[in-house]
Amino acid sequence: MSDGDRTRTSYHHGALRRALLDGARDLLAERGAAAFSLSELARRVGVSTAAPYRHFTDKDALLDALAEEGYMAFHAGLEAAARAAAGPGDRIVRLGVVYLRFAEETPALFEIMFRDRPGRPSGPATFELLVTAVGQAQDAGALRSGQPPVVLARTIWALLHGLAILVGQGGFGKLGIDEPRERLVAESMAAFLRVRPEV
Amino acid sequence: MSDGDRTRTSYHHGALRRALLDGARDLLAERGAAAFSLSELARRVGVSTAAPYRHFTDKDALLDALAEEGYMAFHAGLEAAARAAAGPGDRIVRLGVVYLRFAEETPALFEIMFRDRPGRPSGPATFELLVTAVGQAQDAGALRSGQPPVVLARTIWALLHGLAILVGQGGFGKLGIDEPRERLVAESMAAFLRVRPEV
DNA sequence: AGGGCGATGTTAGAGTCGTCAACATGTCCG
DNA sequence: CGGACATGTTGACGACTCTAACATCGCCCT
């Protein structure tokens, strides 16, 4: 058999690093970021509690690696949405929807990604994507102009981030707010949009 | 001596609950929310590690109580800012500045307050405050109208929350964004404001 | 006044977790 | 084929949360 299998051939696992990251994603989703335990992860994957330290210096290092993968998926999702958009105005809304959906579907991963860890490299690339989309939408007259793309993009980013968090952790549910994502995004960005997309 | 002192008169402390909450605020600010330890808190206050359980069922219960106090201070700060405002338009900006400042000055407390805990009562009252201010500003022509106050207030809340988090944890520092709060808030809310406040 | 009782402390300990050191085992290269 | 290096395991340490059993204090009640 090939040694990428889940059943360790014997003493050595063969692909422990990958198995740990995959298992961590699941465990994180089940338990939440706060209750995530490295010991439990090791138990699940079927190795000793010391084994992960051969691949990650730290619990935080593992979480950082997971966040990094999350960033890639996030970025890819945004890029796909940008490509699939009908036009510059539609693109902005679609990016927002993807942003919200990501935070909603994998809240714990989202939390890990944006937690305060010094030296996190990613982010700027994704921000650039938004800046570009904003610039295009401004040129096309679909988005409010008068501010440089960077400023407007930063505002939209903050708005989406706030929405993501408040929606994601039910902060809005208590306020009696509950509507489909597209509508929520479009309504929230109404002040920026020149043409209202059909919702 | 009165028995509200910091030096326990003898066996009993006298005002342990208060001392724990006060100590927790400091410890939280020093260590951050993730590294906050109930044992260390007990050590600092000068009692055994089991003592806090006479006043709080749980570590989370203590943190919740602290968050509750935080909410009150937050709410009071917003109310004071609302009162001190020159007019409806200025009021909105001031509320935003207070929001940001609070998140920036006590980031760990802010994190505790908005973490996902079911059954957190507060929040709606504070949200109402914002809704009212938005409604007034709309009536005065200082704020974009066309949407019900609740919708616009929700959007502004999300925007502020996103800004608070991104600014607070340096997510913007990496992107080369660094400006005074008033300017940041005014710039971010430019799309909602009918008249630009002097910054 | 005295006695008891509830509130509020303490000590001791169980169970979990993160992490490390020392040892075992498998792989692969010279 | 033999040894070095990567990757596992065992065992242990210290810190943490939380509980149970015991100690002490203040206060109320007759």
Side-chain angles (χ1 to χ4, degrees), chain A residues 114-117 120 124 127 144 147 151 154-155 157-159 161-163 165-166 169 172 174-175 177 179 184 187-188 190-192, chain B residues 114-117 120 124 127 144 147 151 154-155 157-159 161-163 165-166 169 172 174-175 177 179 184 187-188 190-192:
Chain A
F114 287 97
R115 95 198 137 132
D116 193 6
R117 292 269 304 160
R120 170 71 47 71
F127 183 65
R144 178 176 196 283
Q147 284 179 321
V151 172
R154 175 236 277 162
T155 303
W157 180 285
L159 173 56
H161 202 73
L163 278 177
I165 289 177
L166 295 178
Q169 60 183 35
F172 275 169
K174 285 172 203 151
L175 304 176
I177 297 168
E179 24 180 344
L184 179 60
E187 260 184 22
S188 299
F192 308 113
Chain B
F114 288 98
R115 96 199 136 130
D116 192 6
R117 293 269 304 160
R120 171 71 46 70
F127 184 63
R144 177 179 196 281
Q147 283 180 323
V151 172
R154 176 236 277 162
T155 303
W157 180 284
L159 174 56
H161 201 74
L163 278 177
I165 290 177
L166 294 178
Q169 61 182 35
F172 275 167
K174 286 171 201 149
L175 303 176
I177 296 168
E179 23 181 346
L184 180 60
E187 261 184 22
S188 298
F192 308 113

Side-chain angles (χ1 to χ4, degrees), chain A residues 11-177:
Chain A
Y11 199 86
H12 279 36
H13 184 285
L16 183 52
R17 185 187 162 92
R18 207 36 285 140
L20 284 172
L21 286 171
D22 291 343
R25 204 193 319 277
D26 296 349
L27 186 57
L28 194 62
E30 286 178 39
R31 297 267 186 277
F36 176 86
S37 149
L38 199 50
S39 307
E40 186 176 1
L41 173 60
R43 227 172 292 135
R44 278 199 191 196
V45 173
V47 295
S48 72
T49 71
Y53 290 88
R54 296 293 169 194
H55 299 272
F56 303 95
T57 70
D58 220 320
K59 175 185 175 182
D60 276 335
L62 190 156
L63 256 14
D64 282 349
L66 199 60
E68 196 55 40
E69 294 194 355
Y71 252 117
M72 288 183 188
F74 184 51
H75 191 86
L78 289 174
E79 264 184 339
R83 258 196 311 277
D90 180 48
R91 175 153 32 234
I92 295 292
V93 175
R94 283 187 189 236
L95 288 177
V97 172
V98 169
Y99 202 118
L100 281 213
R101 211 189 302 281
F102 190 92
E104 224 168 348
E105 286 173 0
T106 57
L109 179 58
F110 189 79
E111 184 180 345
I112 291 298
M113 285 167 56
F114 287 97
R115 95 198 137 132
D116 193 6
R117 292 269 304 160
R120 170 71 47 71
S122 306
T126 301
F127 183 65
E128 272 312 317
L129 189 153
L130 183 59
V131 174
T132 305
V134 165
Q136 290 171 352
Q138 282 180 321
D139 291 345
L143 212 53
R144 178 176 196 283
S145 59
Q147 284 179 321
V150 190
V151 172
L152 187 50
R154 175 236 277 162
T155 303
I156 291 179
W157 180 285
L159 173 56
L160 291 175
H161 202 73
L163 278 177
I165 289 177
L166 295 178
V167 166
Q169 60 183 35
F172 275 169
K174 285 172 203 151
L175 304 176
I177 297 168

Side-chain angles (χ1 to χ4, degrees), chain B:
Chain B
M1 62 177 134
S2 75
D3 54 356
D5 286 359
R6 33 199 72 252
T7 61
R8 59 246 155 279
T9 66
S10 61
Y11 198 87
H12 278 37
H13 184 285
L16 184 52
R17 186 189 161 92
R18 210 27 293 137
L20 285 172
L21 286 170
D22 290 343
R25 203 193 321 276
D26 295 348
L27 186 56
L28 194 62
E30 286 179 38
R31 297 268 185 277
F36 176 87
S37 150
L38 199 49
S39 308
E40 186 177 1
L41 173 59
R43 227 173 292 134
R44 280 198 189 197
V45 174
V47 295
S48 73
T49 71
Y53 290 90
R54 295 293 169 195
H55 299 272
F56 303 96
T57 70
D58 220 316
K59 175 185 175 181
D60 276 335
L62 191 156
L63 256 15
D64 282 349
L66 200 61
E68 195 56 39
E69 293 194 355
Y71 252 118
M72 289 182 186
F74 184 52
H75 191 85
L78 289 174
E79 264 184 340
R83 257 195 311 276
D90 179 47
R91 174 150 35 233
I92 295 293
V93 175
R94 284 186 188 238
L95 288 177
V97 172
V98 169
Y99 202 118
L100 281 213
R101 212 188 302 280
F102 189 93
E104 223 168 348
E105 286 174 0
T106 56
L109 179 58
F110 189 79
E111 184 180 345
I112 291 298
M113 285 167 56
F114 288 98
R115 96 199 136 130
D116 192 6
R117 293 269 304 160
R120 171 71 46 70
S122 305
T126 300
F127 184 63
E128 271 313 316
L129 189 154
L130 184 58
V131 173
T132 305
V134 164
Q136 290 171 350
Q138 282 181 321
D139 291 345
L143 211 53
R144 177 179 196 281
S145 60
Q147 283 180 323
V150 190
V151 172
L152 187 50
R154 176 236 277 162
T155 303
I156 291 179
W157 180 284
L159 174 56
L160 291 175
H161 201 74
L163 278 177
I165 290 177
L166 294 178
V167 166
Q169 61 182 35
F172 275 167
K174 286 171 201 149
L175 303 176
I177 296 168
D178 185 27
E179 23 181 346
R181 308 298 146 245
E182 282 77 7
R183 218 169 95 95
L184 180 60
V185 170
E187 261 184 22
S188 298
M189 306 211 312
F192 308 113
L193 296 169
R194 277 278 171 68
V195 277
R196 321 200 51 161
E198 64 290 356
V199 286

